[in-house]
Amino acid sequence: MNAALKIAAFATGLTTAFGAAYGVGHATGTGPAPRPAAAAHAGHTGHTGPTGHAAEAPAGAEAAGDHLPGGLQVSERGYTLSLDSPFVTAGAPTDLRFRILGADGRPVTDYRPEHEKELHLIVAPRDLATFQHLHPTRAADGTWSAAAALPTAGEYRVFADFTPAGAAEGLTLGADLHAAGDLRPAPLPETGRSVAVDGYTVTLGGDLTPGRPARLTLTVSKDGRPVTDLQPYLGAYGHLVALRAGDLAYLHVHPESTTPGPEVAFTATAPSPGAYRLFLDFKHGDTVRTAAFTVATGDGAPATAAPSTAAAPSTAAAAAHQH
């Protein structure tokens, strides 16, 4: 992942299917024909400015063609995310195994580390009630594995955020994961501007703006006092992932500031009007926590997501981190 991604103050978005390419080829591990090498990685931005083209779209307009947000496709620029199995059982321990295949069909085994890891894995359900930021391990043959928690039945999206060795920039691929069990559809969780998580209060300032960069701030406090000694997590004082409700288009950015809080600032661009879930990872007291917000952009933005799994508490997302 790039150094200081720009959706606001803190890890490449969480992730997720913004366009019609969602879900193609997940069952077999194959996908749509690779896009031309010139296609940009629109799910990710850097410390000094966006590296993708989503921010260049006119206000209120969806990016198209090469400018799709990250995570919408299982195959892009000659690389394919191949899950060993897209079918799992909800509530049971799950060992997610997958490979990144190159244009020659062989597993990729050489990566450029971004934020201390070769690959970042995001897992989220369609209702965006939970969120997992995992760091899988890679075997010599290129097979990745990670222990994941899929507490409820439904449709999940898996995002692999990585940079192949020698590539000019990273990309985010997405695939569907089906968790069998007792399905209980739920609406998108509702939140205010402040959420409570594990004794901390995180307050969101600013608004996402369709098609234009906007500054977001997230302020962390505890017991009514600002937290001024946030700890670095994966090379930054915060990581922010934004997922668009409905198709789970993925954006992941890192903070502009290099100070340890209490305010972490990001610059982010929403590719279209709609409802989004923002997931902020921050570290304090040697523990990583996640604060989740539901925000809407543009007039008439939808207030709910596609039903998928049981709802989580509205104050914060249930989150898991693997190191």
Side-chain angles (χ1 to χ4, degrees), residues 134-148:
L134 309 176
H135 298 112
T137 57
R138 178 174 58 82
D141 67 355
T143 299
W144 293 90
S145 61

Side-chain angles (χ1 to χ4, degrees), residues 31-48:
R35 281 160 52 189
H41 175 218
H44 215 124
T45 56
H47 284 287
T48 58

Side-chain angles (χ1 to χ4, degrees), residues 120-156:
H120 297 258
L121 191 70
I122 303 295
V123 180
R126 284 271 148 196
D127 63 8
L128 297 176
T130 63
F131 172 85
Q132 296 175 76
H133 182 174
L134 309 176
H135 298 112
T137 57
R138 178 174 58 82
D141 67 355
T143 299
W144 293 90
S145 61
L150 305 174
T152 54
E155 301 294 318
Y156 288 76

Side-chain angles (χ1 to χ4, degrees), residues 19-20 22 27 34 45 52 56 81 90 118 125 135 139 145 200 260 268 279 285 299 302 316:
Y22 147 73
T45 56
E56 300 171 5
L81 170 58
E118 288 188 335
H135 298 112
S145 61
Y200 293 80
F279 298 96
D299 295 334

Side-chain angles (χ1 to χ4, degrees), residues 188-195 204 277 292-295 313-317:
L188 192 68
E190 296 182 4
T191 68
R193 284 284 172 159
S194 293
V195 299
L204 172 66
R277 285 281 279 171
F293 297 84
T294 300
V295 299
S314 60
T315 54

Side-chain angles (χ1 to χ4, degrees), residues 6 49 78 135 159 163 214 255:
K6 277 205 161 186
H135 298 112
F159 303 94
T163 303

